[in-house]
Amino acid sequence: MSIKNEVVTEIFGSNVFNDAVMRERLPKETYTAVRKAIENREALDFDLATVIANVMKDWAIEKGATHYSHWFQPMTGLTAEKHDSFISPTSDGKIIMDFSGKELCQGEPDASSFPSGGLRATFEARGYTAWDYTSPVFIKADGTNVTLYIPSAFCSYTGLALDKKTPLLRSMDALNKEASRVLAALGDKDFLNVSATLGPEQEYFLIDRSYYERRLDLILTGRTLFGVTPPRGQEMDDHYFGTLQERVASYMHEVNIELWKLGVSAKTQHNEVAPSQYELAPVFSTINVATDHNQLTMEVLQKVAIRHDLVCLLHEKPFAGVNGSGKHVNWSMSTGSGVNLLEPGKTPHDNMIFLLMLCTVIRAVDKYADILRASVATAGNDHRLGANEAPPAIISIFLGDQLTDILEQLAKGSPTSSKQAEELMLGTSAISSFAKDCTDRNRTSPFAFTGNKFEFRMPGSTQSTAGPSFVLNTIVSEVLSEIADELEAAKDPKDRAWAILKRISTEHKHIVFNGDNYTDKWLEEAEKRGLAHHPTTISSLKTITSKQNVELFSKHNVLNSTELHARADILIEAYSMKINIEAKTMLNIAKRQILPVCVEYSSRLGCAVGNITAVGSSAEAQKTMLDRTCGLINELHTNIQNLEKVLAKADDIAGLTEKAEYFQKDVIKEMIDLRTAADELETIVDAELWPLPTYAEMLFLK
Ligand code: ADP
Ligand code: MG
């Protein structure tokens, strides 16, 4: 199925109740009022909502929708939906299709079973969803069922945030407020409505569905819990940016079409480093819309895969021994008129606003490194961070030559020059020379300046971008607020701004590192510099509720102390639950699939030894094989028992953190031992008997 270019422009956003649809269908005054509310982030009048609901319903029904749903993002990190039809019975036994302003603005799902971190008990079920009109409403078809989706926030009866969207929206308000103060203090009064922008790069794996169906570990945990590294991995670098395989290319094409219909600007696609690993990146947009779109992207990637008899694995580490998957969060700040505040221009050394924004981010990331690290702490991501494929769990910033030089100049006084990019010549007349970028890239840095934005490379591939995004927005808001306080009080704000830049570039020099973050030398160096290092999820999550963080999130009305504590509890508990499921899945596979096959194989060897020696021949080789197999079976059996024992004890541990620490230390250790024995057996047992599809099959056969 090929598609004409005109068709792409036509289908893009065709299922979105976007600005164009509103302009065309809403009464003029309603449209103007909605635009104003969205632009100024003001509350929407109830009468307006009634008008909009009606128009929206007609549009949705024309597209085949029978239902609407508030679409929200509970603390599971996934999306949630509860559908209601438009039908409303009439007295004559018929129905009309109805959708009120109230139904558009507010929902009350009995959503008591979502994680709330103790913010409400299950018997207090009332929770509300509320329309976020800054993210467009859309239509989605699942099979033949068509529904109108209303992006919504989700909160408790008492107004506490129970979701990922609410703190993100609140952090956007904080950022707008504090950035506008700084800009106004510097005399830039036209820079209204500052918002963060986000372009998340999504990595994923694709494997054939028939293999997936035979791997209980992939089905239940998203990653392989057993499996030997194949003879060939990613060492040839031949998959990275390699030619797209036909089946995969067709899959990507269909993914793009589905996303374009939803108004998601899917842009870049390519093969990633590991075999069977791929990436999709959209064109960046406002941070909450981009976050909603990333949720849709993950959903579409998985949904379309099934149609191609493939399965899309979003886990951070589906396969040991090859790269895992991340989700680079490209972040910047933009004014309402589209000016990127992190655009350095040709001469960044005299670009005051750029320098101030740059130094703000540097100070924010250094001062609040702990919470930034915690925003990416999950059981899945522990397999990536620090594993020589992803940045270590230490936050540092890559600036590149040009900006590092300017920072050094700033520390000494006023900077006078910006290193300029050179011309690059390839030594052939067939290719004309071109201008290089001012700095090279650094793929090992967790937080890199990449031209006119920062790229936060630690987030994991399954994660909602809301967490890292609201943390970034809030820490930056805090530093902007400090700076605004100073500038507003200063006689000469510009003069004061230079002084602030000098102070920040001196105080926070130690967070800047342009070298290779994957080396042991960097670990030593980072320790010398006194940078925080939280190699595991639990040590990192413990920092969430520090006094500094409680103050930070309360001050900017992003999360109050109760909400923050609840979130920390949810994340810590999720860790224990994840490892518990993995351990139980391992036991299931080891006992019911691997052990029986190994016993069968040893029995065959036993027969062979018996038969051969009975006719008087030597069965020495067979005997050696049998001994080795039996030895490993014993080991496997013991390891199964050991894992069962540690798991049983976990139930007795009361505290959330204590329990999570127990899982991280004691349970994971036994899981590793169990895998080692099973993987060793995989290398000697008859391939015909082995019950699980191998890494080689899953990663290389298409
Ligand atoms: P890379 O070469 O780093 O892999 P990609 O092209 O894959 O880059 O992705 C870069 C991402 O950064 C894209 O999603 C792009 O839209 C996004 N991006 C570019 N400029 C900005 C910006 N100002 N703010 C946020 N994201 C941006
Ligand atoms: Mg990329």
Side-chain angles (χ1 to χ4, degrees):
M1 170 186 56
S2 73
I3 187 164
K4 293 208 175 93
N5 284 338
E6 311 81 272
V7 182
V8 175
T9 54
E10 229 168 77
I11 64 168
F12 188 86
S14 57
N15 284 348
V16 184
F17 193 75
N18 54 23
D19 192 59
V21 178
M22 287 199 281
R23 192 170 349 118
E24 185 194 317
R25 297 189 171 227
L26 289 176
K28 196 157 180 254
E29 59 280 16
T30 313
Y31 172 73
T32 317
V34 175
R35 283 269 19 123
K36 193 169 150 268
I38 293 176
E39 266 160 32
N40 301 336
R41 302 178 59 79
E42 288 165 355
L44 205 62
D45 194 271
F46 204 74
D47 294 339
L48 278 183
T50 307
V51 180
I52 300 167
N54 230 331
V55 171
M56 216 179 245
K57 176 201 70 189
D58 291 343
W59 173 80
I61 289 173
E62 278 169 37
K63 300 245 168 214
T66 51
H67 287 68
Y68 69 92
S69 172
H70 277 216
W71 182 67
F72 56 105
Q73 300 171 20
M75 289 300 297
T76 53
L78 305 169
T79 59
E81 50 193 75
K82 178 185 174 197
H83 299 197
D84 276 298
S85 73
F86 292 118
I87 72 161
S88 170
T90 52
S91 55
D92 57 356
K94 300 202 145 206
I95 52 136
I96 53 163
M97 297 298 255
D98 193 28
F99 185 45
S100 69
K102 180 161 186 267
E103 285 167 321
L104 166 62
C105 293
Q106 187 187 318
E108 198 227 309
D110 170 15
S112 48
S113 292
F114 289 116
S116 76
L119 286 190
R120 60 183 188 155
T122 4
F123 62 87
E124 298 167 321
R126 223 179 263 276
Y128 293 109
T129 51
W131 177 30
D132 161 23
Y133 49 84
T134 60
S135 181
V137 164
F138 57 93
I139 295 273
K140 191 158 63 74
D142 292 293
T144 51
N145 183 58
V146 184
T147 301
L148 174 73
Y149 283 84
I150 303 156
S152 301
F154 177 45
C155 67
S156 74
Y157 184 64
T158 49
L160 296 173
L162 293 173
D163 68 345
K164 302 252 173 192
K165 187 187 261 288
T166 306
L168 179 60
L169 292 174
R170 292 177 182 162
S171 74
M172 290 172 73
D173 289 341
L175 188 74
N176 180 25
K177 177 176 158 210
E178 304 303 344
S180 302
R181 281 179 65 202
V182 169
L183 295 173
L186 288 173
D188 276 303
K189 296 222 170 16
D190 339 317
F191 280 170
L192 276 177
N193 294 322
V194 175
S195 57
T197 50
L198 166 68
E201 300 165 50
Q202 178 72 50
E203 292 179 340
Y204 60 94
F205 280 83
L206 287 176
I207 64 162
D208 192 279
R209 188 175 172 176
S210 62
Y211 298 132
Y212 175 85
E213 283 168 355
R214 288 164 53 213
R215 301 252 357 180
L216 191 67
D217 46 5
L218 285 178
I219 295 173
L220 296 185
T221 73
R223 75 179 183 101
T224 52
L225 300 167
F226 296 100
V228 180
T229 317
R232 170 179 178 163
Q234 61 192 40
E235 61 273 53
M236 305 291 288
D237 292 328
D238 50 356
H239 192 257
Y240 189 48
F241 286 180
T243 315
L244 291 183
Q245 219 220 356
E246 273 200 18
R247 185 179 179 192
V248 171
S250 300
Y251 160 80
M252 288 177 167
H253 180 65
E254 199 172 325
V255 164
N256 289 331
I257 290 176
E258 293 286 343
L259 288 176
W260 291 337
K261 281 193 220 161
L262 293 165
V264 179
S265 51
K267 173 91 172 163
T268 308
Q269 62 195 25
H270 60 82
N271 285 5
E272 257 300 333
V273 173
S276 286
Q277 191 186 28
Y278 308 93
E279 181 182 300
L280 183 156
V283 177
F284 70 94
S285 55
T286 310
I287 206 157
N288 71 318
V289 175
T291 291
D292 287 357
H293 282 180
N294 181 251
Q295 289 288 358
L296 287 174
T297 302
M298 290 194 283
E299 187 184 314
V300 167
L301 283 170
Q302 289 175 295
K303 195 160 81 174
V304 173
I306 301 291
R307 293 184 203 152
H308 291 252
D309 274 327
L310 293 164
V311 172
C312 171
L313 304 174
L314 291 174
H315 193 282
E316 282 75 17
K317 193 76 177 180
F319 302 98
V322 294
N323 273 14
S325 299
K327 173 145 48 195
H328 299 173
V329 159
N330 292 275
W331 180 96
S332 187
M333 288 171 282
S334 167
T335 67
S337 48
V339 177
N340 179 355
L341 295 175
L342 285 173
E343 174 59 57
K346 282 224 152 36
T347 52
H349 71 278
D350 58 13
N351 184 344
M352 163 63 79
I353 291 192
F354 165 72
L355 289 177
L356 213 47
M357 294 300 162
L358 178 79
C359 285
T360 294
V361 178
I362 293 173
R363 175 165 162 77
V365 169
D366 188 17
K367 187 168 173 200
Y368 293 101
D370 278 348
I371 189 70
L372 199 57
R373 160 69 181 103
S375 76
V376 300
T378 62
N381 224 8
D382 275 1
H383 298 282
R384 277 179 75 231
L385 301 179
N388 274 359
E389 59 177 72
I394 305 168
I395 305 263
S396 66
I397 301 178
F398 170 85
L399 285 184
D401 297 342
Q402 189 194 46
L403 295 182
T404 306
D405 173 58
I406 292 177
L407 215 65
E408 278 161 13
Q409 293 184 52
L410 272 171
K412 288 186 205 128
S414 302
T416 52
S417 64
S418 304
K419 283 188 178 176
Q420 290 304 317
E422 290 159 18
E423 284 280 296
L424 198 68
M425 276 173 297
L426 284 183
T428 157
S429 57
I431 295 170
S432 31
S433 69
F434 55 90
K436 293 205 289 190
D437 286 292
C438 288
T439 30
D440 202 354
R441 284 167 179 270
N442 180 325
R443 294 218 158 265
T444 67
S445 175
F447 202 88
F449 188 78
T450 46
N452 57 6
K453 59 181 160 67
F454 277 100
E455 182 173 356
F456 184 27
R457 302 179 66 251
M458 289 169 105
S461 47
T462 46
Q463 254 194 288
S464 157
T465 52
S469 294
F470 85 70
V471 166
L472 257 171
N473 288 351
T474 312
I475 63 179
V476 168
S477 300
E478 170 55 20
V479 177
L480 285 170
S481 127
E482 286 172 10
I483 294 176
D485 288 346
E486 265 194 64
L487 295 181
E488 285 164 1
K491 274 212 184 81
D492 183 342
K494 287 232 159 83
D495 221 40
R496 176 55 69 95
W498 284 116
I500 292 171
L501 289 173
K502 180 170 180 174
R503 193 176 66 220
I504 292 180
S505 46
T506 314
E507 258 177 41
H508 298 284
K509 210 168 52 188
H510 70 164
I511 192 87
V512 177
F513 179 66
N514 293 331
D516 184 351
N517 294 66
Y518 289 177
T519 61
D520 289 338
K521 247 172 101 189
W522 167 237
L523 294 187
E524 283 165 33
E525 164 78 20
E527 197 159 308
K528 265 192 230 142
R529 292 188 187 193
L531 301 179
H533 188 195
H534 297 287
T536 63
T537 292
I538 301 306
S539 79
S540 169
L541 292 181
K542 282 204 278 194
T543 67
I544 292 183
T545 48
S546 71
K547 187 163 170 282
Q548 173 174 274
N549 290 334
V550 171
E551 279 170 10
L552 167 79
F553 290 109
S554 319
K555 174 176 168 189
H556 295 283
N557 295 322
V558 173
L559 290 170
N560 66 25
S561 171
T562 315
E563 290 170 319
L564 190 67
H565 278 88
R567 242 150 246 261
D569 284 355
I570 290 171
L571 295 169
I572 291 170
E573 196 178 10
Y575 178 86
S576 299
M577 291 191 291
K578 276 244 161 80
I579 307 294
N580 190 36
I581 293 171
E582 288 186 354
K584 287 199 297 190
T585 307
M586 281 191 99
L587 286 171
N588 190 308
I589 296 174
K591 282 167 36 180
R592 302 187 53 234
Q593 291 188 279
I594 297 178
L595 203 52
V597 157
C598 295
V599 168
E600 163 68 18
Y601 178 62
S602 65
S603 150
R604 283 191 198 175
L605 286 173
C607 288
V609 172
N611 293 344
I612 294 165
T613 40
V615 296
S617 284
S618 156
E620 223 164 283
Q622 289 83 342
K623 179 85 177 38
T624 313
M625 287 162 75
L626 177 62
D627 288 346
R628 174 137 176 73
T629 309
C630 290
L632 282 169
I633 290 176
N634 268 332
E635 214 173 285
L636 185 71
H637 192 251
T638 312
N639 294 350
I640 288 173
Q641 289 175 326
N642 290 346
L643 181 54
E644 276 173 338
K645 264 186 238 150
V646 286
L647 217 48
K649 272 202 216 145
D651 291 337
D652 304 333
I653 301 171
L656 282 184
T657 310
E658 291 72 19
K659 195 173 195 149
E661 273 168 346
Y662 178 77
F663 271 104
Q664 182 206 301
K665 288 197 195 100
D666 303 66
V667 178
I668 289 186
K669 185 191 157 293
E670 296 302 336
M671 287 167 66
I672 293 172
D673 286 351
L674 178 55
R675 177 172 186 156
T676 309
D679 286 0
E680 188 81 38
L681 279 160
E682 189 191 323
T683 64
I684 58 170
V685 170
D686 186 345
E688 294 285 325
L689 286 179
W690 196 252
L692 305 171
T694 63
Y695 269 35
E697 288 166 326
M698 289 187 285
L699 291 171
F700 289 94
L701 278 184
K702 283 280 144 40

